[in-house]
Amino acid sequence: MDSSAVIRQRQRDQWDAVAASMPDFSSAPSTAYYRRREIALLERAAGPLKGKRVLKLDLWNEAINTRILEWVANAGADAYGMDVSHVVSHRAKDNSRRENFDVSIARADIRQIPFRSDSFDVVYTMGTIEHIDEYKDTLREIHRVLRVGGTAVIGVPNFWDPFLRPALVAVMEMLGKYPYAPEKSFTRSELKRDVENAGLAVTQMTGILLLPGVLRMLDLFLHVRRRWAAKSTEWFIKPFDAAEERFSWLDRFGYLVTAVATKRR
Ligand SMILES: C[S@@+](CC[C@H](N)C(=O)[O-])C[C@H]1O[C@@H](n2cnc3c(N)ncnc32)[C@H](O)[C@@H]1O
């Protein structure tokens, strides 16, 4: 194996190990909030999905988190998801069988998307590409598999998160306590520039998840370790959810900055 193959193998092993030890967060209050914000974003950015082919990069949400491809499939789309991890893909597949949602699953690396050019109406990625150095290759791959006139929705950590999530992540990374490391964060202008350099035309810069990252972490901790206290977290999530729903200009303060883009040629 050459050195890049060794690195990739190590990255796959890391995600397998992380996913194998991770409980299912799908019923945590902050996950329900995350799902509502993802749905609102996709409805705004991509319009009705009925009859569309939709690809999502990574299956973490289907394995452990918001099950957003379930919503996509139930909206009448042909839902496709891909992930490099065996464990994540298997957990996603098991959940799709048990929870009865129809999603086609590929185990593959987002640096080389295993689908034909011009074959998707929508490509969605949220919190994935920032984990690889070669994320610009992935942006070019998104451009390649998207049909002309299709929509790409690309979300990554917000460098200017007002609640300093990138700083929190950096400290946890330094202490060796951040399971998703490495994780790059982006300014809006950096993300816009990178997406445009991949050949896509950015139509909107937006974002989701006003909730402070530390509250998301607390909610997940309580959900797993202190089940009796977990219900109470709904109360601190509600104001963030309501504000995000009501005031669209707050989108720039979300901890995931997002580019909505289209393919012109
Ligand atoms: C932090 S999790 C994703 C979080 C999720 N999107 C969310 O919103 O909660 C990262 C996911 O990306 C996958 N992944 C990481 N590197 C990848 C790669 N090079 N190709 C495909 N999937 C990858 C991991 O296996 C994992 O499922």
Side-chain angles (χ1 to χ4, degrees), residues 102-256:
D102 195 11
V103 47
S104 303
I105 285 179
R107 201 187 63 76
D109 197 300
I110 55 171
R111 286 166 274 219
Q112 280 174 305
I113 297 180
F115 292 103
R116 278 183 293 114
S117 301
D118 308 304
S119 58
F120 287 97
D121 301 291
V122 179
V123 179
Y124 175 53
T125 176
M126 188 60 70
T128 313
I129 66 171
E130 67 273 15
H131 299 294
I132 52 171
D133 288 345
E134 307 85 348
Y135 70 89
K136 290 178 186 167
D137 293 348
T138 300
L139 293 174
R140 280 189 288 273
E141 282 289 87
I142 292 173
H143 174 269
R144 181 183 66 75
V145 299
L146 198 63
R147 285 195 180 123
V148 172
T151 304
V153 181
I154 299 162
V156 289
N158 179 4
F159 182 82
W160 290 116
D161 171 26
F163 301 107
L164 306 179
R165 190 172 180 277
L168 178 69
V169 166
V171 171
M172 288 172 73
E173 275 195 33
M174 258 166 17
L175 299 173
K177 298 277 183 213
Y178 192 62
Y180 311 150
E183 179 179 296
K184 174 177 162 54
S185 54
F186 293 70
T187 64
R188 283 159 75 89
S189 55
E190 188 180 11
L191 177 63
K192 182 167 188 283
R193 189 197 57 222
D194 289 343
V195 170
E196 286 177 344
N197 284 343
L200 291 159
V202 173
T203 54
Q204 193 193 3
M205 289 304 296
T206 179
I208 60 168
L209 304 191
L210 279 181
L211 187 75
V214 70
L215 292 186
R216 165 79 167 151
M217 288 177 198
L218 174 67
D219 177 55
L220 297 182
F221 171 80
L222 293 177
H223 177 69
V224 177
R225 299 273 171 84
R226 304 279 188 279
R227 243 351 218 277
W228 53 269
K231 264 283 180 207
S232 61
T233 54
E234 269 171 21
W235 291 102
F236 64 65
I237 293 166
K238 265 189 182 143
F240 293 98
D241 197 4
E244 216 167 326
E245 180 73 35
R246 179 111 195 258
F247 306 111
S248 58
W249 55 269
L250 285 173
D251 62 2
R252 64 173 50 236
F253 301 113
Y255 75 66
L256 290 161

Side-chain angles (χ1 to χ4, degrees), residues 63-77:
I64 285 157
N65 197 15
T66 61
R67 312 289 200 268
I68 191 65
L69 278 181
E70 175 201 34
W71 177 82
V72 167
N74 288 339

